[in-house]
Amino acid sequence: MQNLEVIAGGAKEKADCRPTRTHYEKAIEKALEEYVKQCGKMTFDEAANQFSESFRKLVYAGVKSVGKIESKDLDANENLVHATYEYIEYLFDTFGAMTPRQVTQLFPISKTYDGDRWGTKDYYYAMEEVRKIGLDNVIGRDKAPEFLMEYHNEDIKEFMIMFMMVISRMRVLQGGRDPLEEFLEENGVATYSYYENEGIMVNRQTGEVTKVEKPRTRVPKYMKVIEGGLN
């Protein structure tokens, strides 16, 4: 029998190679330099009409970078909230100068077709929104947010979710209340605050405290757990 050699250690975790917000922000900087060289003397509408490679890169990387922002980052950084809002407004200006055809080239409509069955957006729904404007008609700044909200693409969806989160944070910073929380309360849905360290949830309306039990690992019946460890 051959001798077996046991090597201490374990399998290495696979590196996460997906682009981060930092990657997209660097891409924006590079695309902006190219844009200035290619379209620096053009008006914004002219640049959108030409739909140059640098223009496409700016829009694509911009949407992706906004979608990569996490809600906890907004909670911890008031400046990020305002900066993100201003940048989203800039991107709305950009989309407003584009046509639906250009949007579909950058962010293809997701190929799902069963929206009627589940009451959700799908390819047909998004195409109907495209037809309302006209495939080659300029969307217009005033219609851009609504068009993107009704569009069906994962990147655009994440972008618009972040837009709504930023609006919510800005309202709270200005002394107002979270719009979603107000909506839920008006419709009789309780809202809770979760305190992870204490392991409790507190009903914001009644003050009722609920203890959150951590899930226990289930063990098959044919196995027996023996307390202790290796000697």
Side-chain angles (χ1 to χ4, degrees):
M1 180 183 293
Q2 293 181 341
N3 293 328
L4 298 177
E5 182 179 357
V6 178
I7 301 175
K12 293 183 178 179
E13 293 185 3
K14 292 183 179 180
D16 188 350
C17 299
R18 291 174 297 181
T20 64
R21 178 159 61 104
T22 301
H23 291 130
Y24 286 115
E25 287 174 347
K26 290 181 178 179
I28 291 171
E29 293 178 4
K30 186 175 180 180
L32 186 58
E33 293 177 1
E34 296 176 6
Y35 176 81
V36 171
K37 293 178 182 178
Q38 294 179 1
C39 311
K41 296 182 179 180
M42 297 182 185
T43 65
F44 200 72
D45 290 341
E46 289 173 342
N49 184 57
Q50 182 173 323
F51 206 47
S52 66
E53 182 179 357
S54 60
F55 182 89
R56 296 195 300 270
K57 287 180 179 178
L58 268 177
V59 178
Y60 182 80
V63 168
K64 295 288 283 189
S65 68
V66 170
K68 292 292 183 181
I69 298 174
E70 297 186 14
S71 60
K72 62 181 180 181
D73 296 331
L74 295 178
D75 293 334
N77 191 335
E78 181 177 338
N79 291 332
L80 178 62
V81 174
H82 292 287
T84 303
Y85 174 78
E86 291 176 1
Y87 189 54
I88 290 175
E89 286 291 305
Y90 163 77
L91 287 171
F92 282 157
D93 290 339
T94 306
F95 277 109
M98 295 168 61
T99 66
R101 184 189 297 276
Q102 292 172 332
V103 175
T104 61
Q105 290 172 355
L106 276 180
F107 304 98
I109 300 174
S110 298
K111 303 299 191 293
T112 56
Y113 306 96
D114 55 354
D116 279 345
R117 179 181 180 184
W118 305 107
T120 59
K121 291 185 289 187
D122 62 3
Y123 180 86
Y124 302 116
Y125 182 91
M127 280 304 300
E128 184 59 32
E129 294 301 314
V130 167
R131 293 189 189 97
K132 288 179 182 178
I133 294 176
L135 193 59
D136 294 307
N137 292 333
V138 173
I139 296 171
R141 173 60 178 84
D142 57 330
K143 295 181 180 178
E146 180 182 356
F147 175 77
L148 295 175
M149 188 68 75
E150 301 301 328
Y151 199 66
H152 186 47
N153 170 277
E154 284 301 308
D155 292 326
I156 295 296
K157 181 179 75 173
E158 291 179 359
F159 171 76
M160 293 305 293
I161 288 174
M162 182 50 58
F163 168 63
M164 291 186 289
M165 292 179 66
V166 167
I167 292 296
S168 174
R169 296 300 193 282
M170 288 189 67
R171 184 171 179 183
V172 172
L173 289 172
Q174 293 168 357
R177 296 187 62 196
D178 187 321
L180 177 59
E181 184 178 330
E182 284 188 345
F183 173 80
L184 293 174
E185 288 185 8
E186 289 172 0
N187 288 273
V189 180
T191 57
Y192 294 83
S193 294
Y194 175 53
Y195 299 88
E196 185 176 2
N197 293 335
E198 292 79 5
I200 60 173
M201 293 178 64
V202 179
N203 187 309
R204 294 183 179 179
Q205 286 71 49
T206 66
E208 180 183 357
V209 177
T210 304
K211 187 172 179 57
V212 179
E213 298 288 347
K214 292 184 179 180
R216 300 181 63 181
T217 303
R218 292 188 176 183
V219 179
K221 293 181 179 179
Y222 57 82
M223 297 182 67
K224 182 178 180 181
V225 177
I226 301 176
E227 299 293 339
L230 296 175
N231 293 326

mmCIF file of all heavy atoms in Angstrom, residues 172-205:
data_model
loop_
_atom_site.group_PDB
_atom_site.id
_atom_site.type_symbol
_atom_site.label_atom_id
_atom_site.label_comp_id
_atom_site.label_asym_id
_atom_site.label_seq_id
_atom_site.Cartn_x
_atom_site.Cartn_y
_atom_site.Cartn_z
ATOM 1 N N VAL A 172 -34.538 62.137 5.088
ATOM 2 C CA VAL A 172 -34.261 61.947 6.513
ATOM 3 C C VAL A 172 -33.253 62.981 7.000
ATOM 4 O O VAL A 172 -33.395 63.550 8.093
ATOM 5 C CB VAL A 172 -33.734 60.515 6.772
ATOM 6 C CG1 VAL A 172 -33.255 60.369 8.212
ATOM 7 C CG2 VAL A 172 -34.817 59.488 6.471
ATOM 8 N N LEU A 173 -32.223 63.248 6.191
ATOM 9 C CA LEU A 173 -31.209 64.232 6.570
ATOM 10 C C LEU A 173 -31.801 65.633 6.700
ATOM 11 O O LEU A 173 -31.299 66.458 7.460
ATOM 12 C CB LEU A 173 -30.079 64.243 5.530
ATOM 13 C CG LEU A 173 -29.152 63.022 5.519
ATOM 14 C CD1 LEU A 173 -28.221 63.073 4.315
ATOM 15 C CD2 LEU A 173 -28.342 62.949 6.808
ATOM 16 N N GLN A 174 -32.868 65.883 5.957
ATOM 17 C CA GLN A 174 -33.525 67.189 6.004
ATOM 18 C C GLN A 174 -34.583 67.270 7.107
ATOM 19 O O GLN A 174 -35.340 68.232 7.181
ATOM 20 C CB GLN A 174 -34.156 67.491 4.644
ATOM 21 C CG GLN A 174 -33.129 67.684 3.536
ATOM 22 C CD GLN A 174 -33.748 67.693 2.152
ATOM 23 O OE1 GLN A 174 -34.957 67.491 1.993
ATOM 24 N NE2 GLN A 174 -32.932 67.915 1.133
ATOM 25 N N GLY A 175 -34.628 66.231 7.953
ATOM 26 C CA GLY A 175 -35.548 66.246 9.081
ATOM 27 C C GLY A 175 -36.867 65.555 8.827
ATOM 28 O O GLY A 175 -37.748 65.553 9.698
ATOM 29 N N GLY A 176 -37.020 64.961 7.645
ATOM 30 C CA GLY A 176 -38.258 64.256 7.335
ATOM 31 C C GLY A 176 -38.180 62.792 7.722
ATOM 32 O O GLY A 176 -37.273 62.361 8.431
ATOM 33 N N ARG A 177 -39.138 62.026 7.234
ATOM 34 C CA ARG A 177 -39.175 60.597 7.528
ATOM 35 C C ARG A 177 -38.960 59.802 6.253
ATOM 36 O O ARG A 177 -39.195 60.287 5.143
ATOM 37 C CB ARG A 177 -40.521 60.213 8.147
ATOM 38 C CG ARG A 177 -40.781 60.854 9.502
ATOM 39 C CD ARG A 177 -42.047 60.289 10.102
ATOM 40 N NE ARG A 177 -41.921 58.857 10.337
ATOM 41 C CZ ARG A 177 -42.963 58.057 10.559
ATOM 42 N NH1 ARG A 177 -44.188 58.546 10.555
ATOM 43 N NH2 ARG A 177 -42.777 56.774 10.770
ATOM 44 N N ASP A 178 -38.525 58.569 6.435
ATOM 45 C CA ASP A 178 -38.317 57.671 5.307
ATOM 46 C C ASP A 178 -39.652 57.466 4.585
ATOM 47 O O ASP A 178 -40.632 57.033 5.195
ATOM 48 C CB ASP A 178 -37.791 56.330 5.827
ATOM 49 C CG ASP A 178 -37.385 55.394 4.704
ATOM 50 O OD1 ASP A 178 -38.094 55.360 3.682
ATOM 51 O OD2 ASP A 178 -36.373 54.696 4.855
ATOM 52 N N PRO A 179 -39.735 57.782 3.276
ATOM 53 C CA PRO A 179 -40.995 57.635 2.538
ATOM 54 C C PRO A 179 -41.555 56.215 2.589
ATOM 55 O O PRO A 179 -42.770 56.027 2.686
ATOM 56 C CB PRO A 179 -40.609 58.024 1.103
ATOM 57 C CG PRO A 179 -39.419 58.904 1.255
ATOM 58 C CD PRO A 179 -38.679 58.359 2.437
ATOM 59 N N LEU A 180 -40.678 55.215 2.520
ATOM 60 C CA LEU A 180 -41.147 53.830 2.558
ATOM 61 C C LEU A 180 -41.764 53.510 3.916
ATOM 62 O O LEU A 180 -42.811 52.863 4.002
ATOM 63 C CB LEU A 180 -39.995 52.867 2.267
ATOM 64 C CG LEU A 180 -40.336 51.370 2.353
ATOM 65 C CD1 LEU A 180 -41.455 51.019 1.375
ATOM 66 C CD2 LEU A 180 -39.097 50.523 2.084
ATOM 67 N N GLU A 181 -41.123 53.989 4.976
ATOM 68 C CA GLU A 181 -41.653 53.752 6.323
ATOM 69 C C GLU A 181 -43.024 54.400 6.476
ATOM 70 O O GLU A 181 -43.949 53.807 7.049
ATOM 71 C CB GLU A 181 -40.682 54.314 7.359
ATOM 72 C CG GLU A 181 -41.091 54.037 8.795
ATOM 73 C CD GLU A 181 -40.083 54.566 9.790
ATOM 74 O OE1 GLU A 181 -38.884 54.616 9.445
ATOM 75 O OE2 GLU A 181 -40.497 54.945 10.902
ATOM 76 N N GLU A 182 -43.175 55.617 5.950
ATOM 77 C CA GLU A 182 -44.469 56.294 6.009
ATOM 78 C C GLU A 182 -45.530 55.513 5.247
ATOM 79 O O GLU A 182 -46.660 55.351 5.711
ATOM 80 C CB GLU A 182 -44.346 57.704 5.428
ATOM 81 C CG GLU A 182 -43.664 58.701 6.347
ATOM 82 C CD GLU A 182 -43.738 60.107 5.798
ATOM 83 O OE1 GLU A 182 -44.059 60.256 4.595
ATOM 84 O OE2 GLU A 182 -43.488 61.057 6.548
ATOM 85 N N PHE A 183 -45.150 55.024 4.074
ATOM 86 C CA PHE A 183 -46.097 54.265 3.246
ATOM 87 C C PHE A 183 -46.559 53.004 3.969
ATOM 88 O O PHE A 183 -47.748 52.680 3.983
ATOM 89 C CB PHE A 183 -45.437 53.898 1.915
ATOM 90 C CG PHE A 183 -46.261 52.985 1.055
ATOM 91 C CD1 PHE A 183 -47.303 53.481 0.288
ATOM 92 C CD2 PHE A 183 -45.996 51.618 1.017
ATOM 93 C CE1 PHE A 183 -48.071 52.634 -0.506
ATOM 94 C CE2 PHE A 183 -46.758 50.768 0.230
ATOM 95 C CZ PHE A 183 -47.799 51.278 -0.531
ATOM 96 N N LEU A 184 -45.613 52.298 4.588
ATOM 97 C CA LEU A 184 -45.962 51.065 5.293
ATOM 98 C C LEU A 184 -46.887 51.346 6.470
ATOM 99 O O LEU A 184 -47.868 50.630 6.697
ATOM 100 C CB LEU A 184 -44.687 50.363 5.771
ATOM 101 C CG LEU A 184 -43.773 49.799 4.676
ATOM 102 C CD1 LEU A 184 -42.485 49.256 5.284
ATOM 103 C CD2 LEU A 184 -44.480 48.704 3.881
ATOM 104 N N GLU A 185 -46.578 52.401 7.226
ATOM 105 C CA GLU A 185 -47.415 52.735 8.379
ATOM 106 C C GLU A 185 -48.825 53.134 7.948
ATOM 107 O O GLU A 185 -49.812 52.764 8.589
ATOM 108 C CB GLU A 185 -46.764 53.862 9.180
ATOM 109 C CG GLU A 185 -45.529 53.424 9.954
ATOM 110 C CD GLU A 185 -44.986 54.538 10.827
ATOM 111 O OE1 GLU A 185 -45.655 55.581 10.939
ATOM 112 O OE2 GLU A 185 -43.890 54.362 11.393
ATOM 113 N N GLU A 186 -48.917 53.894 6.854
ATOM 114 C CA GLU A 186 -50.231 54.313 6.363
ATOM 115 C C GLU A 186 -51.079 53.119 5.937
ATOM 116 O O GLU A 186 -52.308 53.186 5.948
ATOM 117 C CB GLU A 186 -50.061 55.275 5.186
ATOM 118 C CG GLU A 186 -49.529 56.650 5.595
ATOM 119 C CD GLU A 186 -49.185 57.508 4.398
ATOM 120 O OE1 GLU A 186 -49.368 57.019 3.255
ATOM 121 O OE2 GLU A 186 -48.735 58.650 4.590
ATOM 122 N N ASN A 187 -50.402 52.030 5.563
ATOM 123 C CA ASN A 187 -51.116 50.835 5.126
ATOM 124 C C ASN A 187 -51.155 49.748 6.206
ATOM 125 O O ASN A 187 -51.434 48.584 5.917
ATOM 126 C CB ASN A 187 -50.472 50.282 3.848
ATOM 127 C CG ASN A 187 -50.754 51.153 2.639
ATOM 128 O OD1 ASN A 187 -51.761 50.996 1.967
ATOM 129 N ND2 ASN A 187 -49.858 52.093 2.367
ATOM 130 N N GLY A 188 -50.861 50.153 7.437
ATOM 131 C CA GLY A 188 -51.001 49.242 8.564
ATOM 132 C C GLY A 188 -49.943 48.172 8.672
ATOM 133 O O GLY A 188 -50.157 47.141 9.321
ATOM 134 N N VAL A 189 -48.789 48.394 8.047
ATOM 135 C CA VAL A 189 -47.702 47.412 8.110
ATOM 136 C C VAL A 189 -46.681 47.883 9.138
ATOM 137 O O VAL A 189 -46.157 49.000 9.034
ATOM 138 C CB VAL A 189 -47.020 47.239 6.734
ATOM 139 C CG1 VAL A 189 -45.900 46.208 6.830
ATOM 140 C CG2 VAL A 189 -48.047 46.825 5.690
ATOM 141 N N ALA A 190 -46.406 47.052 10.128
ATOM 142 C CA ALA A 190 -45.469 47.425 11.192
ATOM 143 C C ALA A 190 -44.043 47.480 10.652
ATOM 144 O O ALA A 190 -43.660 46.711 9.770
ATOM 145 C CB ALA A 190 -45.550 46.419 12.332
ATOM 146 N N THR A 191 -43.258 48.407 11.184
ATOM 147 C CA THR A 191 -41.843 48.501 10.829
ATOM 148 C C THR A 191 -41.007 48.243 12.075
ATOM 149 O O THR A 191 -41.427 48.539 13.196
ATOM 150 C CB THR A 191 -41.507 49.888 10.250
ATOM 151 O OG1 THR A 191 -41.872 50.904 11.198
ATOM 152 C CG2 THR A 191 -42.253 50.128 8.954
ATOM 153 N N TYR A 192 -39.815 47.709 11.864
ATOM 154 C CA TYR A 192 -38.973 47.294 12.985
ATOM 155 C C TYR A 192 -37.555 47.836 12.840
ATOM 156 O O TYR A 192 -37.074 48.072 11.730
ATOM 157 C CB TYR A 192 -38.901 45.760 13.061
ATOM 158 C CG TYR A 192 -40.210 45.087 13.399
ATOM 159 C CD1 TYR A 192 -41.156 44.833 12.412
ATOM 160 C CD2 TYR A 192 -40.495 44.703 14.706
ATOM 161 C CE1 TYR A 192 -42.362 44.225 12.714
ATOM 162 C CE2 TYR A 192 -41.696 44.084 15.019
ATOM 163 C CZ TYR A 192 -42.623 43.845 14.021
ATOM 164 O OH TYR A 192 -43.813 43.238 14.333
ATOM 165 N N SER A 193 -36.913 48.014 13.979
ATOM 166 C CA SER A 193 -35.480 48.307 14.025
ATOM 167 C C SER A 193 -34.781 47.049 14.533
ATOM 168 O O SER A 193 -35.210 46.457 15.530
ATOM 169 C CB SER A 193 -35.186 49.479 14.970
ATOM 170 O OG SER A 193 -35.750 50.677 14.476
ATOM 171 N N TYR A 194 -33.720 46.655 13.838
ATOM 172 C CA TYR A 194 -33.002 45.438 14.215
ATOM 173 C C TYR A 194 -31.676 45.807 14.863
ATOM 174 O O TYR A 194 -30.889 46.569 14.297
ATOM 175 C CB TYR A 194 -32.762 44.571 12.980
ATOM 176 C CG TYR A 194 -31.912 43.346 13.242
ATOM 177 C CD1 TYR A 194 -32.247 42.452 14.255
ATOM 178 C CD2 TYR A 194 -30.778 43.082 12.480
ATOM 179 C CE1 TYR A 194 -31.479 41.329 14.504
ATOM 180 C CE2 TYR A 194 -30.007 41.958 12.717
ATOM 181 C CZ TYR A 194 -30.359 41.088 13.728
ATOM 182 O OH TYR A 194 -29.594 39.975 13.976
ATOM 183 N N TYR A 195 -31.431 45.278 16.060
ATOM 184 C CA TYR A 195 -30.190 45.515 16.790
ATOM 185 C C TYR A 195 -29.412 44.202 16.813
ATOM 186 O O TYR A 195 -29.710 43.297 17.597
ATOM 187 C CB TYR A 195 -30.491 46.010 18.205
ATOM 188 C CG TYR A 195 -31.245 47.323 18.219
ATOM 189 C CD1 TYR A 195 -32.641 47.343 18.180
ATOM 190 C CD2 TYR A 195 -30.569 48.537 18.240
ATOM 191 C CE1 TYR A 195 -33.336 48.545 18.175
ATOM 192 C CE2 TYR A 195 -31.260 49.740 18.231
ATOM 193 C CZ TYR A 195 -32.643 49.740 18.201
ATOM 194 O OH TYR A 195 -33.333 50.935 18.191
ATOM 195 N N GLU A 196 -28.436 44.119 15.919
ATOM 196 C CA GLU A 196 -27.727 42.854 15.713
ATOM 197 C C GLU A 196 -26.965 42.411 16.953
ATOM 198 O O GLU A 196 -27.000 41.238 17.328
ATOM 199 C CB GLU A 196 -26.769 42.995 14.524
ATOM 200 C CG GLU A 196 -26.060 41.698 14.155
ATOM 201 C CD GLU A 196 -25.202 41.849 12.918
ATOM 202 O OE1 GLU A 196 -25.136 42.975 12.370
ATOM 203 O OE2 GLU A 196 -24.593 40.854 12.498
ATOM 204 N N ASN A 197 -26.252 43.338 17.605
ATOM 205 C CA ASN A 197 -25.445 42.961 18.773
ATOM 206 C C ASN A 197 -26.308 42.420 19.908
ATOM 207 O O ASN A 197 -25.925 41.475 20.604
ATOM 208 C CB ASN A 197 -24.630 44.159 19.264
ATOM 209 C CG ASN A 197 -23.559 44.574 18.270
ATOM 210 O OD1 ASN A 197 -23.103 43.759 17.466
ATOM 211 N ND2 ASN A 197 -23.162 45.836 18.313
ATOM 212 N N GLU A 198 -27.471 43.040 20.100
ATOM 213 C CA GLU A 198 -28.365 42.595 21.177
ATOM 214 C C GLU A 198 -29.236 41.418 20.749
ATOM 215 O O GLU A 198 -29.845 40.750 21.584
ATOM 216 C CB GLU A 198 -29.270 43.746 21.633
ATOM 217 C CG GLU A 198 -28.535 44.882 22.335
ATOM 218 C CD GLU A 198 -27.845 45.811 21.356
ATOM 219 O OE1 GLU A 198 -28.029 45.617 20.135
ATOM 220 O OE2 GLU A 198 -27.119 46.721 21.797
ATOM 221 N N GLY A 199 -29.324 41.189 19.438
ATOM 222 C CA GLY A 199 -30.142 40.088 18.942
ATOM 223 C C GLY A 199 -31.632 40.318 19.130
ATOM 224 O O GLY A 199 -32.383 39.382 19.425
ATOM 225 N N ILE A 200 -32.077 41.574 18.955
ATOM 226 C CA ILE A 200 -33.495 41.880 19.149
ATOM 227 C C ILE A 200 -34.024 42.745 18.007
ATOM 228 O O ILE A 200 -33.258 43.414 17.303
ATOM 229 C CB ILE A 200 -33.748 42.617 20.482
ATOM 230 C CG1 ILE A 200 -32.971 43.946 20.510
ATOM 231 C CG2 ILE A 200 -33.391 41.740 21.660
ATOM 232 C CD1 ILE A 200 -33.297 44.813 21.715
ATOM 233 N N MET A 201 -35.345 42.715 17.836
ATOM 234 C CA MET A 201 -36.043 43.605 16.918
ATOM 235 C C MET A 201 -37.071 44.393 17.725
ATOM 236 O O MET A 201 -37.751 43.830 18.581
ATOM 237 C CB MET A 201 -36.744 42.810 15.807
ATOM 238 C CG MET A 201 -35.789 42.110 14.858
ATOM 239 S SD MET A 201 -36.656 41.148 13.594
ATOM 240 C CE MET A 201 -37.500 42.457 12.711
ATOM 241 N N VAL A 202 -37.170 45.700 17.444
ATOM 242 C CA VAL A 202 -38.082 46.566 18.187
ATOM 243 C C VAL A 202 -39.119 47.139 17.228
ATOM 244 O O VAL A 202 -38.773 47.746 16.203
ATOM 245 C CB VAL A 202 -37.327 47.717 18.883
ATOM 246 C CG1 VAL A 202 -38.307 48.609 19.632
ATOM 247 C CG2 VAL A 202 -36.266 47.166 19.825
ATOM 248 N N ASN A 203 -40.383 46.921 17.555
ATOM 249 C CA ASN A 203 -41.480 47.485 16.775
ATOM 250 C C ASN A 203 -41.481 49.000 16.956
ATOM 251 O O ASN A 203 -41.589 49.500 18.073
ATOM 252 C CB ASN A 203 -42.814 46.894 17.243
ATOM 253 C CG ASN A 203 -43.974 47.318 16.361
ATOM 254 O OD1 ASN A 203 -44.167 48.493 16.089
ATOM 255 N ND2 ASN A 203 -44.755 46.337 15.929
ATOM 256 N N ARG A 204 -41.346 49.739 15.862
ATOM 257 C CA ARG A 204 -41.226 51.194 15.951
ATOM 258 C C ARG A 204 -42.528 51.866 16.367
ATOM 259 O O ARG A 204 -42.518 53.005 16.836
ATOM 260 C CB ARG A 204 -40.773 51.760 14.599
ATOM 261 C CG ARG A 204 -39.370 51.342 14.204
ATOM 262 C CD ARG A 204 -38.958 51.984 12.905
ATOM 263 N NE ARG A 204 -37.602 51.608 12.531
ATOM 264 C CZ ARG A 204 -37.000 52.017 11.426
ATOM 265 N NH1 ARG A 204 -37.634 52.812 10.578
ATOM 266 N NH2 ARG A 204 -35.771 51.630 11.154
ATOM 267 N N GLN A 205 -43.649 51.180 16.195
ATOM 268 C CA GLN A 205 -44.931 51.776 16.554
ATOM 269 C C GLN A 205 -45.304 51.476 18.013
ATOM 270 O O GLN A 205 -45.777 52.349 18.731
ATOM 271 C CB GLN A 205 -46.044 51.253 15.625
ATOM 272 C CG GLN A 205 -46.002 51.828 14.218
ATOM 273 C CD GLN A 205 -44.844 51.302 13.392
ATOM 274 O OE1 GLN A 205 -44.615 50.103 13.323
ATOM 275 N NE2 GLN A 205 -44.108 52.205 12.767
#
